[in-house]
Amino acid sequence: MKHVLRVLDEALHLQEQALAFDVNTPLLGSLPELDSMAAVALITGLENHFGVTFDETDLNADTFATVGSLCRLVQAYVSPP
């Protein structure tokens, strides 16, 4: 989770605020910094950091609902079943 938080912090320019987030921290609709352009930067940052490419069908509002939902997306690609 800490790697996801670091990428989130960098993509949204939160000046290390994201490092204090937990799995229940709401994202979409709660962070004004998370607009459509920032979401693209976040996804690109996560893909680059973890060496994965997300399927567009997995990128929706639910994915960005909380830190936990974002971490679950990354985990699904980093450790496929």
Side-chain angles (χ1 to χ4, degrees):
M1 182 168 106
K2 89 175 166 181
H3 293 283
V4 172
L5 291 178
R6 288 199 180 281
V7 174
L8 176 67
D9 195 81
E10 185 176 308
L12 302 185
H13 308 288
L14 295 175
Q15 301 175 348
E16 299 189 0
Q17 292 176 33
L19 304 181
F21 293 173
D22 65 28
V23 294
N24 298 311
T25 301
L27 298 176
L28 192 62
S30 295
L31 290 177
E33 297 87 356
L34 186 55
D35 60 15
S36 59
M37 293 302 292
V40 171
L42 175 56
I43 290 302
T44 301
L46 290 169
E47 288 178 333
N48 290 337
H49 183 85
F50 291 99
V52 298
T53 302
F54 299 118
D55 187 312
E56 288 183 28
T57 61
D58 291 329
L59 304 175
N60 55 53
D62 291 339
T63 302
F64 296 98
T66 65
V67 168
S69 60
L70 190 60
C71 287
R72 284 189 293 278
L73 170 72
V74 170
Q75 189 63 39
Y77 279 81
V78 171
S79 302

